[in-house]
Amino acid sequence: MTTLLEVKDLEKHFPITRGAIIPHKVGAVKAVDGISFKVEQGKTLGLVGESGCGKSTTGRTILKLTEPTGGHIYFDGQEITHLKGEKLRRLRQDMQLIFQDPFASLNPRMTVEQIIAEPLKVFGMHKEERQKRINYLLEVVGLSSYHKERYPHEFSGGQRQRVGIARALALEPKLIICDEPVSALDVSIQAQVVNLMEDLQKAFGLTYVFIAHDLGVVHHISDQVAVMYLGEIVELGSYDELYAHPKHPYTQALLSAIPEANPHRKKERIVLKGDVPSPATPPTGCKFHTRCPFAEQRCRLEKPTMKVVSLTGQEAACHFVEEVSDVVG
Amino acid sequence: MEEQYLLKVDNLHTHFFTKTGVVKAVDGVSFSIRSGETLGIVGESGSGKSITALSIMKLVPNPPGRIVEGAIYYNGEDLMSKSEKQMRRIRGNKLSMIFQDPMTSLNPVFTIGRQLVETVRAHRDLSKRQAEARAIELLTLVGIPDPKQRLKNYPHEFSGGMRQRVMIAMALACDPELLIADEPTTALDVTVQAQILELLKRLQEELGMAIIMITHDLGVVAEICDRVMVMYAGRQVEFTNRIALFDHPKHPYTWGLLDSIPKMEKEKRRLQAIAGHPPDLRYLPQGCYFADRCKQATEECKMHEPTLTKLDDHHLVRCLLYEDIKVEST
């Protein structure tokens, strides 16, 4: 197995400035605050967390749609953290993005053909070749060539997301960052799109970073899952280990909060109090201590680091991993 | 009618008259709810669940929408015959509603306090000070810390979950007997959703109100509903209690919905998606509306419209598969 994507201590801080004439920095929103992970070729990493935890910013920073403020990104063995200009443009062929909202991410004034042709044009493909490729792509995502002439508004949500996927596939990328690709879809349509994405991964050997807040979908599609809280990864592990034996109290709470479609299973629910603190003024020590049911003095003062907590290589950032997992496990 | 119902909806038809045709958003829906009960209405976008709720409140935008047929009884009174003035007295007092998006349901330019006080005073003859005390009481009830200070805040100073709590507080202002919750947790994160569901459960116990819970999430249904109505293309396709819905689902659409949910089991199985997409409500097919997507469908299904069949005392299903059963049993 080769590592396709590696992220080391990635940071993205957005400055907060005051003053209209002489702007000066008064603080920073730490959207992504030192995260590290690896994704193997052909595998899927699921990135979960609540709104504002930095999962989308992570995706956009990897694609270099925003410039990271710290850390390193390695793609296909090459450091790309500070890549610019033509080199970056070439690199973008290999990395694509699928967006959440298929209603907003397709230009309403372009036909499906034009939408899919655009990346091909940008990278200089001939007209005839382009036509062939578009027909092929439409077929691959389960649409027909007669859909080419239509505009996005003529399609349902699921079909629009298929168009978005076809566009992302156009340049034969190696990595696709999927930013909540199914959360705007109804559950029966969601299943169609998830199945399609799995088929495409097998057929083209794609690597996915799958960003979502729906833990069920993430479990289904991911090989590895990273749980984020306030810009940091608090737990990372294989999908089965992490879901069966969550070690971090936040992961435990998150999993216990999912309402399960099974009226017989009465699970012990850990209901977290309060809301996620602001990433501009994150709590000291462990960022989760304000909502953690197990928090002690040490958590307020000392920041926990990621450590390996099981034989399978599951990692969690909590001072009391052993104690906590004893309580719940 | 032997049993006393709080609300009874009988053969409701709500249609929208648009330039391109008549959209049959709700097309013959009947159900009833007892006090203290939680009824779930499940379905995908466009299945008519929200329009059913708006019809009960008589809030369907007219034009283009109109209740063309059917009756709604609340405590034995026919709501259809009520004037707008009379409805205003019922709405908020007896029937209350919360919406999906707490960001757009609150007015951004007024403080939470002012909006709460306005709601309270619209329905009750209270002085400003008394109304304010009631507002504080309500915020305490829905678990907002430091309610007196929070009254002075604007909606944008609240998080999504807190805003939804404010909406619930507003809906509870006059101790309604029935609360209609239209996807109250869809816009919220899962940990906040858990908080709101706990809150609704607690409030129902304390205040004894009935809840109509509209959702597309079968997980939420399993969590809090007593009985469930599954809707598809403006019609109820299955209606039963919670346990039977999950243990013995009868309608192929319900099977499909249950199978589409990714299960968090160790062994990964391919998701059983329902092929195709819901029909256009302007051009509904002949026969069963679900036939195009149904694996069980026969030629018969495309010709004949199935009726809502009673399988037993608490199980109704609209599918030709079961119509024979009815014949045998009667």
Side-chain angles (χ1 to χ4, degrees):
Chain A
M1 278 291 157
T2 49
T3 303
L4 183 72
L5 175 74
E6 184 176 357
V7 167
K8 245 190 202 157
D9 305 317
L10 186 70
E11 262 178 29
K12 176 69 197 178
H13 294 181
F14 294 98
I16 306 169
T17 54
R18 283 273 153 76
I21 300 159
I22 314 160
H24 56 285
K25 200 176 147 191
V26 291
V29 174
K30 294 172 180 166
V32 180
D33 201 16
I35 65 169
S36 308
F37 59 80
K38 284 181 187 174
V39 193
E40 307 283 329
Q41 170 90 47
K43 298 284 183 190
T44 303
L45 173 83
L47 215 51
V48 290
E50 297 178 275
S51 14
C53 72
K55 45 190 200 307
S56 291
T57 310
T58 304
R60 301 179 73 89
T61 315
I62 293 169
L63 288 170
K64 304 249 310 135
L65 293 171
T66 57
E67 198 63 19
T69 48
H72 306 274
I73 309 164
Y74 302 92
F75 179 76
D76 222 358
Q78 180 199 1
E79 169 147 19
I80 60 161
T81 325
H82 300 293
L83 223 53
K84 279 197 177 69
E86 184 58 20
K87 272 188 185 160
L88 177 63
R89 209 174 78 87
R90 288 280 149 213
L91 175 82
R92 289 246 168 90
Q93 284 188 58
D94 290 333
M95 302 166 112
Q96 290 290 324
L97 180 62
I98 300 173
F99 297 91
Q100 169 172 3
D101 189 351
F103 296 81
S105 60
L106 301 176
N107 188 334
R109 289 169 183 254
M110 283 164 98
T111 61
V112 165
E113 181 174 10
Q114 289 168 327
I115 288 169
I116 303 174
E118 203 170 25
L120 299 171
K121 254 188 210 165
V122 168
F123 285 94
M125 189 184 268
H126 263 276
K127 198 171 177 188
E128 270 164 50
E129 231 179 310
R130 223 158 53 205
Q131 282 303 327
K132 263 192 230 154
R133 179 96 186 129
I134 292 167
N135 289 342
Y136 170 72
L137 285 166
L138 283 173
E139 193 188 316
V140 161
V141 298
L143 296 171
S144 309
S145 53
Y146 65 80
H147 286 127
K148 273 197 299 195
E149 308 300 320
R150 298 203 183 163
Y151 289 90
H153 76 263
E154 296 173 71
F155 292 94
S156 66
Q159 285 175 318
R160 265 183 255 200
Q161 201 55 298
R162 286 173 196 267
V163 175
I165 293 172
R167 176 175 62 181
L169 286 176
L171 297 166
E172 299 177 49
K174 291 177 184 156
L175 174 74
I176 299 184
I177 310 258
C178 318
D179 192 356
E180 306 254 15
V182 295
S183 31
L185 306 175
D186 274 315
V187 51
S188 73
I189 308 294
Q190 180 176 309
Q192 293 174 5
V193 175
V194 168
N195 282 344
L196 171 68
M197 291 183 65
E198 284 183 323
D199 293 343
L200 295 173
Q201 179 166 43
K202 265 185 227 133
F204 301 109
L206 296 170
T207 306
Y208 290 145
V209 173
F210 195 95
I211 300 167
H213 65 268
D214 183 328
L215 289 136
V217 175
V218 168
H219 175 270
H220 184 83
I221 202 164
S222 305
D223 298 291
Q224 290 269 319
V225 177
V227 181
M228 285 187 74
Y229 187 77
L230 272 182
E232 288 172 3
I233 291 179
V234 295
E235 186 158 3
L236 178 67
S238 67
Y239 76 95
D240 48 345
E241 274 295 301
L242 190 119
Y243 278 67
H245 311 289
K247 301 286 187 192
H248 196 283
Y250 179 62
T251 316
Q252 291 167 356
L254 208 55
L255 287 172
S256 81
I258 311 169
E260 240 182 296
N262 181 348
H264 301 292
R265 194 122 105 226
K266 280 278 166 252
K267 48 184 180 181
E268 263 317 291
R269 170 160 293 169
I270 311 165
V271 177
L272 291 180
K273 291 190 186 66
D275 292 301
V276 183
S278 156
T281 49
T284 55
C286 174
K287 285 183 179 174
F288 185 55
H289 84 248
T290 51
R291 300 174 80 198
C292 182
F294 307 101
E296 285 179 26
Q297 190 56 26
R298 185 177 169 199
C299 305
R300 278 169 209 115
L301 302 170
E302 197 184 322
K303 191 182 160 93
T305 51
M306 286 291 266
K307 49 187 172 234
V308 177
V309 290
S310 80
L311 296 172
T312 53
Q314 191 176 347
E315 292 175 61
C318 176
H319 291 306
F320 301 105
V321 167
E322 283 83 23
E323 290 89 330
V324 168
S325 40
D326 282 348
V327 175
V328 178
Chain B
M1 204 167 62
E2 327 84 67
E3 247 180 308
Q4 264 307 305
Y5 290 111
L6 182 66
L7 181 88
K8 190 169 157 55
V9 173
D10 199 16
N11 198 24
L12 178 75
H13 291 258
T14 305
H15 295 179
F16 285 81
F17 298 89
T18 66
K19 275 182 201 153
T20 50
V22 180
V23 178
K24 294 178 181 166
V26 178
D27 201 17
V29 166
S30 308
F31 63 91
S32 53
I33 179 167
R34 294 179 210 99
S35 27
E37 187 186 36
T38 304
L39 173 77
I41 304 184
V42 205
E44 296 179 272
S45 352
S47 60
K49 40 190 205 311
S50 294
I51 299 301
T52 305
L54 289 177
S55 303
I56 296 170
M57 300 292 279
K58 289 184 72 182
L59 284 174
V60 176
N62 179 15
R66 194 149 51 82
I67 301 174
V68 290
E69 206 188 319
I72 302 164
Y73 298 99
Y74 171 74
N75 262 341
E77 284 178 80
D78 185 5
L79 292 188
M80 296 305 295
S81 63
K82 299 274 184 227
S83 68
E84 178 56 28
K85 206 173 163 190
Q86 287 169 312
M87 264 323 280
R88 285 190 74 140
R89 227 169 288 145
I90 294 171
R91 253 183 244 136
N93 265 331
K94 308 274 177 62
L95 307 174
S96 214
M97 188 160 175
I98 46 176
F99 298 90
Q100 171 173 353
D101 192 352
M103 322 283 157
T104 50
S105 328
L106 289 167
N107 191 332
V109 300
F110 295 120
T111 61
I112 294 297
R114 179 160 170 183
Q115 295 184 57
L116 267 169
V117 166
E118 187 190 348
T119 311
V120 172
R121 292 190 72 191
H123 294 284
R124 292 212 174 154
D125 194 16
L126 293 179
S127 74
K128 223 172 171 182
R129 186 157 300 161
Q130 284 169 315
E132 222 172 84
R134 174 72 182 148
I136 292 171
E137 199 181 300
L138 287 166
L139 289 185
T140 318
L141 184 71
V142 297
I144 291 184
D146 200 8
K148 208 168 171 185
Q149 282 306 308
R150 294 299 254 172
L151 283 182
K152 294 179 194 137
N153 287 149
Y154 287 89
H156 75 267
E157 294 172 88
F158 285 75
S159 67
M162 282 295 171
R163 263 176 258 189
Q164 196 56 285
R165 282 171 197 266
V166 173
M167 288 308 299
I168 294 172
M170 228 176 244
L172 296 179
C174 301
D175 299 318
E177 290 175 303
L178 174 67
L179 177 70
I180 302 176
D182 188 359
E183 306 246 13
T185 58
T186 306
L188 305 176
D189 277 315
V190 51
T191 59
V192 182
Q193 165 171 297
Q195 292 173 0
I196 297 290
L197 291 180
E198 292 290 324
L199 172 69
L200 285 173
K201 271 195 258 182
R202 177 173 66 85
L203 291 173
Q204 186 170 34
E205 267 169 43
E206 284 176 18
L207 310 173
M209 60 188 175
I211 297 180
I212 295 181
M213 184 80 178
I214 297 172
T215 178
H216 65 269
D217 187 339
L218 285 160
V220 173
V221 169
E223 187 97 358
I224 82 168
C225 297
D226 300 313
R227 289 189 304 145
V228 191
M229 173 163 102
V230 183
M231 288 188 71
Y232 187 77
R235 297 197 158 169
Q236 54 208 130
V237 293
E238 189 157 0
F239 194 5
T240 183
N241 61 39
R242 172 179 59 148
I243 303 293
L245 183 88
F246 289 98
D247 288 359
H248 315 287
K250 297 292 185 193
H251 198 283
Y253 178 63
T254 316
W255 302 344
L257 275 187
L258 287 167
D259 282 342
S260 314
I261 308 170
K263 312 272 180 314
M264 282 180 284
E265 288 157 357
K266 203 174 161 85
E267 287 305 310
K268 284 190 189 181
R269 276 173 304 163
R270 197 174 162 77
L271 293 178
Q272 295 298 314
I274 307 175
H277 43 88
D280 188 326
L281 296 172
R282 286 168 302 179
Y283 314 108
L284 286 166
Q286 206 194 351
C288 174
Y289 295 167
F290 187 60
D292 275 352
R293 304 174 76 189
C294 183
K295 282 180 192 156
Q296 259 70 28
T298 58
E299 278 310 305
E300 184 77 1
C301 295
K302 290 186 180 144
M303 305 298 294
H304 296 287
E305 212 174 296
T307 52
L308 204 58
T309 310
K310 195 169 181 179
L311 295 180
D312 58 48
D313 280 348
H314 9 249
H315 213 138
L316 295 171
V317 63
R318 187 192 293 276
C319 179
L320 284 180
L321 278 178
Y322 303 99
E323 297 220 325
D324 307 335
I325 300 173
K326 181 185 70 176
V327 177
E328 279 164 29
S329 62
T330 44

